Amino acid sequence: MDILLIGGLWLDGSVWERVASTLESLGHRPVPLTLPGQGDGSAAATLDDQVAAVVDAVDAASGRAMVVGHSVACTLAWLAADRRPERVAKVALVGGVPTSDGRPYADLFEVTDGVMPFPGWGPFQGPDAADLDETARREMAAAAIPVPEAVARGVVRLTDERRFDVPVVVVCPEFTPAQAREWIDGDVPELRRAGRVGFADIDSGHWPMITQPAELARILAAAAEAA
């Protein structure tokens, strides 16, 4: 199965290299995406541009694809299900949940000169970054790509109720499946309305594609095979 891989804020497609290698060995076709404004050199990219890039990748897939979103990009994966429910076999949400219709995509950190730069490790102390050593932190910070303001502050628009029929797996790194279920029952209306939601636990921080790539790939492969 084609498995589209979408990194969260400040990341480009290269962050999935080791996950992609294992997925290939397991018989799948991984497609790491570099989003407009996050690796293509366009500081003027918008949220609509990123959504269009994901939808284009879904349309280009050989058959129905699984779409994987990490962190904030869980919303992009869910938007793919909204735009192409007939083409998305499953959505995998790694370390995040989708934002609701009408809310900003990722208005989370300070914007400077039209972009939202990586804010440093302060906001991620604790379980998020506990498994990242100093070398990994230094390399991630150096490679971080400032996110265009029009992406971060873009408004999410969800319109097709058929998205709720697309199966979902929530991959739980720095939180547990039990915590994820509590959040969904409380204030994650998109997943509360989804018809089929499963959970997979992984012993990692917020970036398992860096610290646990082989295990993450195995989880994604199993999810794809169950789709």
Side-chain angles (χ1 to χ4, degrees):
M1 177 181 284
D2 285 14
I3 300 178
L4 311 185
L5 302 165
I6 315 168
L9 298 175
W10 313 297
L11 303 173
D12 64 14
S14 67
V15 74
W16 297 102
E17 285 179 359
R18 290 186 291 167
V19 173
S21 177
T22 302
L23 285 173
E24 285 181 346
S25 72
L26 295 171
H28 296 280
R29 179 177 177 265
V31 184
L33 300 185
T34 289
L35 298 169
Q38 284 180 231
D40 71 343
S42 173
T46 67
L47 178 60
D48 287 344
D49 293 333
Q50 292 200 348
V51 174
V54 175
V55 172
D56 286 348
V58 170
D59 289 343
S62 175
R64 297 170 72 227
M66 184 167 84
V67 184
V68 180
H70 164 254
S71 190
V72 166
C74 289
T75 298
L76 285 175
W78 192 236
L79 281 161
D82 180 75
R83 302 297 194 270
R84 295 290 189 271
E86 73 286 355
R87 294 279 299 166
V88 176
K90 196 164 198 172
V91 170
L93 308 175
V94 181
V97 293
T99 297
S100 300
D101 177 67
R103 300 189 64 182
Y105 172 64
D107 191 9
L108 302 172
F109 301 100
E110 183 178 353
V111 170
T112 304
D113 296 328
V115 295
M116 188 172 69
F118 178 65
W121 291 105
F124 304 107
Q125 293 307 310
D128 282 356
D131 59 343
L132 289 169
D133 61 24
E134 287 305 315
T135 298
R137 293 186 187 209
R138 186 169 57 252
E139 290 176 350
M140 282 185 63
I145 301 163
V147 178
E149 179 178 9
V151 172
R153 293 180 173 171
V155 176
V156 173
R157 296 300 181 193
L158 296 159
T159 60
D160 195 327
E161 296 279 304
R162 292 178 297 164
R163 68 185 181 276
F164 298 120
D165 297 327
V166 177
V168 177
V169 59
V170 180
V171 181
C172 306
E174 74 273 22
F175 51 85
T176 67
Q179 288 173 312
R181 288 187 181 95
E182 288 180 7
W183 299 335
I184 292 169
D185 290 340
D187 59 0
V188 186
E190 286 298 312
L191 295 188
R192 195 163 60 245
R193 295 183 62 190
R196 289 171 285 177
V197 180
F199 300 85
D201 202 7
I202 185 168
D203 185 15
S204 79
H206 189 63
W207 292 272
M209 69 281 281
I210 293 171
T211 60
Q212 295 285 346
E215 179 60 19
L216 178 58
R218 285 191 286 270
I219 289 171
L220 296 178
E225 287 152 16

